[in-house]
Amino acid sequence: GEWLRSLIPTPAARPAVASVVEQVTQPFGHTLLLDTASSPIAAHHGNWLSVVLLAAWACGALIVTIRYRRGWWQVYAAKRAARPIDLASDVTVLVTSVSMEPGIFGIFWPVLLLPEGILDRLSAEQLRAVVAHEMCHLRRRDNLTFAVHMVVEALFWFYPAVWWIGTRLIDERERACDEAVMQAGGEAQTYAEGILNVCKYCVESPLPCVAGVTGADLKKRIKRIMTRQIGQTVSLSSKLLLAAVALSAFTLPFVVGWGQAQAAKVMLIHPQEGTKPAFEVATIKPSAGPTSRMQIMLSPAHFSATNMSVSDMIKFAYGVKSDEQLAGAPSWLKTEHFDIQAKASDAEIAAFDKLGFEEKMAVPRLLLQSLLEDRFQLKATVETRDLPVYALVVANGGIKMKEVKPDPLPPAGVTSPPGAHLTRIIRTGPNELTASAWPMPEFAEQLSHFPDVGNRPVVDETGLKGNYDFVLSDVAIMASRAGDAGGPEAQVPVISLFAALPEQLGLKLVPAKAPTEVLVIENIEQPSPN
């Protein structure tokens, strides 16, 4: 059990062979596997990357906005210099000296802009067809549709699909207006000649939201017009299907995001189904009394506890961090204390030696789960509830810890060489923790058991992916029963954990609420006789 004892906070003066933990829930999170092979990413690197990406997005959005703004100003200047003419139309018709295609300009107060001299180049029938085309744009509110898309293009300029959609919008709006003109009785050859004459005389509008007459693929449009390819009317069922697809496309990202937000941030070790490791022999006796100190010694094959409450057993076995995560617990779980001696079989001990580090760390909990289910008849389920937590975040000014790369753990039975930088956190004084290559998720788990947090789970929100060396001192770590009774540890002056974290480590605790897994006890009984 040397690999496990190195991770257990113990007083420096206590013999290493004892490996006594004063509170069963202190040294363990739901997992102690550390990803020593992953590349640590410093917080300031992540911040710089965020700044660079934000700057790149802002530059792209500004360029697209300036481009559209310049086009809008050209059309607006042409409108201001234009003069009205008397032409049968649903909106005001203006003639401009600028050589731009006929088009509807404006969303709330639209006008039809015609280039000067176009009336001389189009026959009456051709002009009537072109104006009918523009009135179709007006009725369909195409300018508003594309104005919205221009905003989307400015915000999501980096996404190719947005620009592809913009091209498709222009194609479809011109197709729809061409079909409307043809269905209204327009003569195909006259209409096609009118579009070609406009193209010969005018340039395309500089702004996509000015719905003109020459947009999209001109060759394909002329071919459709001359062959009178009219789209089929969409049936009610097809409209409903399209509406459902559009609604799904809009709501799916929100549903996925909401589902991810509801995923529990504070996880338990779930009761396992089927066969799991179990002690071969276990002795459970009522303890001498609640005034004596609670002690445990454990390894993947042995478990020894003195004066341990059933509540503490359950918390350790299932990774429960606060009383609020334990629902349906009878009061005797805290008041009844037991002395336990348990040992796994030789066959299971041999099997444990072949397990990886992560699997070995889970073994003591699974063994205790089996003991609780067998001797205490424990039956429990897991639910997710929104509970108060503390979020561990980086304080203003950044972290004050040294990021390091941990040395690999030695094989089972092999002692680490002197000076090896192993991942561990130990109690180096009555009110001091010293961490070596320790990850932030596991440190948050440690903080969940500090007195100052009031038995509330602590969730890692630092975003720090590496391992760190640090010392947290002069804080109330876990006052022992001897200290509570006025022993030596109670005489050590302490400072608030909330003040020590920003000052010493560059971290802070922020009250929050988070989806939290809760162990719901459905049945538990006094332990069966030995």
Side-chain angles (χ1 to χ4, degrees), residues 108-445:
F108 302 106
W109 298 279
V111 297
L112 174 59
L113 284 176
L114 296 178
E116 197 171 41
I118 192 69
L119 301 180
D120 299 331
R121 294 176 177 271
L122 298 177
S123 66
E125 290 300 321
Q126 291 173 351
L127 179 61
R128 189 177 298 111
V130 169
V131 172
H133 179 100
E134 296 305 320
M135 292 305 102
C136 180
H137 282 308
L138 180 67
R139 289 189 296 271
R140 286 168 42 86
R141 296 180 176 84
D142 286 334
N143 282 9
L144 176 60
T145 300
F146 215 93
V148 172
H149 189 76
M150 287 165 60
V151 174
V152 174
E153 285 183 345
L155 295 176
F156 300 97
W157 57 267
F158 53 86
Y159 192 38
V162 170
W163 299 95
W164 178 82
I165 291 173
T167 303
R168 295 297 301 162
L169 280 175
I170 294 177
D171 289 344
E172 293 305 319
R173 79 181 185 185
E174 298 305 324
R175 177 199 291 266
C177 292
D178 290 342
E179 291 179 356
V181 172
M182 301 303 296
Q183 289 175 337
E187 203 277 322
Q189 183 172 348
T190 300
Y191 180 41
E193 290 175 350
I195 294 176
L196 292 175
N197 286 336
V198 169
C199 292
K200 293 177 183 178
Y201 181 69
C202 308
V203 297
E204 190 175 357
S205 170
L207 203 61
C209 68
V210 176
V213 72
T214 65
D217 189 317
L218 188 60
K219 182 177 180 180
K220 290 183 178 179
R221 285 183 61 195
I222 297 298
K223 182 179 179 180
R224 286 197 302 265
I225 292 171
M226 295 305 296
T227 55
R228 303 188 67 88
Q229 296 179 12
I230 306 299
Q232 297 180 351
T233 302
V234 181
S235 64
L236 177 60
S237 59
S238 299
K239 290 180 180 179
L240 293 175
L241 179 61
L242 290 173
V245 172
L247 183 62
S248 299
F250 180 77
T251 59
L252 185 60
F254 294 97
V255 172
V256 172
W258 179 86
Q260 292 177 344
Q262 297 304 307
K265 289 189 175 181
V266 183
M267 307 289 289
L268 297 179
I269 300 175
H270 290 213
Q272 288 196 354
E273 300 289 340
T275 304
K276 56 186 170 185
F279 292 115
E280 182 181 36
V281 292
T283 301
I284 303 176
K285 297 179 180 179
S287 64
T291 57
S292 61
R293 176 177 296 192
M294 181 184 71
Q295 299 177 342
I296 68 169
M297 292 184 292
L298 71 163
S299 74
H302 300 81
F303 183 82
S304 176
T306 302
N307 193 36
M308 188 177 191
S309 70
V310 183
S311 176
D312 284 336
M313 294 183 206
I314 295 174
K315 287 180 178 179
F316 173 69
Y318 295 96
V320 175
K321 301 174 182 65
S322 70
D323 291 339
E324 290 181 310
Q325 285 184 269
L326 199 57
S331 59
W332 65 266
L333 295 189
K334 290 185 176 181
T335 59
E336 299 290 334
H337 295 71
F338 297 90
D339 297 339
I340 303 172
Q341 296 290 331
K343 178 182 178 298
S345 66
D346 293 338
E348 288 191 326
I349 293 175
F352 297 155
D353 290 337
K354 299 177 182 178
L355 298 177
F357 181 73
E358 180 179 15
E359 295 169 310
K360 284 184 178 180
M361 294 306 301
V363 166
R365 297 181 184 274
L366 298 178
L367 287 169
L368 196 54
Q369 284 186 17
S370 298
L371 183 68
L372 287 165
E373 294 169 6
D374 181 43
R375 301 294 293 275
F376 291 84
Q377 302 302 308
L378 173 64
K379 294 181 180 179
T381 57
V382 176
E383 296 180 359
T384 298
R385 302 178 184 178
D386 212 28
L387 297 180
V389 300
Y390 281 110
L392 180 66
V393 300
V394 177
N396 295 335
I399 61 173
K400 302 176 182 180
M401 304 175 293
K402 180 182 179 183
E403 185 174 1
V404 297
K405 183 176 181 180
D407 293 328
L409 289 169
V414 178
T415 303
S416 300
H421 207 83
L422 299 180
T423 298
R424 67 175 71 191
I425 186 167
I426 59 175
R427 186 172 178 177
T428 50
N431 299 98
E432 182 177 270
L433 283 182
T434 299
S436 169
W438 200 247
M440 286 300 101
E442 300 307 327
F443 183 51
E445 159 64 19

Side-chain angles (χ1 to χ4, degrees), residues 411-476:
V414 178
T415 303
S416 300
H421 207 83
L422 299 180
T423 298
R424 67 175 71 191
I425 186 167
I426 59 175
R427 186 172 178 177
T428 50
N431 299 98
E432 182 177 270
L433 283 182
T434 299
S436 169
W438 200 247
M440 286 300 101
E442 300 307 327
F443 183 51
E445 159 64 19
Q446 294 282 331
L447 294 178
S448 298
H449 307 295
F450 277 51
D452 282 0
V453 302
N455 203 28
R456 182 184 293 189
V458 177
V459 179
D460 175 35
E461 297 287 352
T462 62
L464 302 176
K465 306 299 183 183
N467 297 57
Y468 296 85
D469 284 354
F470 58 86
V471 176
L472 183 64
S473 61
D474 298 329
V475 296

